[in-house]
């Protein structure tokens, strides 16, 4: 079994890996994620042994384990961790469209800390709906731009 370290900017969430493309120098495949227990079961079952056409991977202890052993290349597609904004010179990776919502959420949290719970809850419900709408618009625009690039 081959393994690789988890990228340092990957989210720590168990479902942060979107897809892993693997290759052995001549052939390639999309690896399917299996859990730690399932990985050992699959490797010990001769009928389920992974091939380069149907590879598997498991994320265990900050490493990503792959099978079959012939895998020599892996390209990860994953959700990245947001940049730590600990100094004034750090640049946020959050799209500008969402900055307003971060400020509104911060104000709501301050109000909650000051004991204005009722006002805070109402603002957070409105905020949740506004963020969902903005996200749908953002994803729609990103999809439209991506399709336009493909057509050019």
């Amino acid at each position: 079994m081959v393994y690789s370290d988890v990228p340092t900017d990957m989210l720590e969430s168990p479902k942060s890996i979107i897809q892993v493309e693997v290759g052995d120098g001549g052939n390639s495949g999309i690896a399917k994620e299996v859990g730690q227990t399932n990985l050992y079961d699959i490797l010990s079952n001769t009928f389920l042994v992974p091939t380069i056409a149907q590879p598997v991977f498991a994320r265990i202890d900050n490493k990503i384990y792959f099978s079959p052993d012939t895998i020599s290349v892996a390209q990860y597609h994953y959700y990245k961790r947001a940049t730590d904004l600990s100094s004034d010179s750090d640049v946020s990776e959050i799209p500008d469209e969402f900055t307003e919502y971060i400020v509104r959420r911060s104000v709501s949290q301050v109000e909650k800390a000051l004991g204005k719970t009722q006002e805070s809850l109402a603002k957070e419900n409105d905020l949740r709906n506004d963020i969902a709408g903005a996200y749908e618009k953002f994803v729609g625009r990103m999809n439209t731009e991506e399709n336009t690039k493909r057509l050019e």
Side-chain angles (χ1 to χ4, degrees):
M1 187 168 8
V2 292
Y3 69 90
S4 169
D5 291 328
V6 171
T8 56
D9 62 344
M10 183 185 289
L11 280 178
E12 293 183 19
S13 165
K15 295 296 180 191
S16 60
I17 299 174
I18 300 167
Q19 175 178 307
V20 180
E21 298 174 46
V22 297
D24 64 0
N27 300 307
S28 62
I30 305 287
K32 179 179 130 187
E33 185 171 10
V34 295
Q36 179 177 356
T37 331
N38 290 341
L39 179 65
Y40 297 120
D41 291 342
I42 288 170
L43 295 178
S44 62
N45 185 325
T46 56
F47 292 106
L48 299 176
V49 172
T51 63
I52 197 66
Q54 294 181 323
V56 297
F57 74 92
R59 183 174 171 173
I60 306 168
D61 296 330
N62 281 336
K63 299 215 181 303
I64 300 174
Y65 292 88
F66 297 98
S67 186
D69 291 340
T70 58
I71 293 172
S72 59
V73 177
Q75 181 176 5
Y76 302 103
H77 302 275
Y78 58 89
Y79 296 109
K80 292 172 60 175
R81 226 179 327 158
T83 305
D84 201 15
L85 303 176
S86 55
S87 73
D88 291 340
S89 63
D90 289 339
V91 179
S92 172
E93 295 174 347
I94 298 169
D96 292 337
E97 294 89 346
F98 295 98
T99 305
E100 169 195 348
Y101 304 112
I102 294 168
V103 172
R104 286 174 52 191
R105 170 77 177 172
S106 300
V107 169
S108 171
Q109 291 296 311
V110 169
E111 286 178 348
K112 188 184 288 185
L114 293 174
K116 299 178 182 179
T117 310
Q118 198 66 20
E119 293 171 21
S120 173
L121 289 175
K123 284 184 180 180
E124 286 195 22
N125 285 335
D126 291 342
L127 179 61
R128 192 173 299 115
N129 293 334
D130 291 348
I131 289 173
Y135 179 75
E136 289 299 321
K137 287 180 188 174
F138 180 76
V139 169
R141 191 184 86 227
M142 297 301 290
N143 287 337
T144 302
E145 288 175 7
E146 185 64 31
N147 288 336
T148 303
K149 286 180 186 176
R150 286 185 198 153
L151 295 174
E152 293 175 346

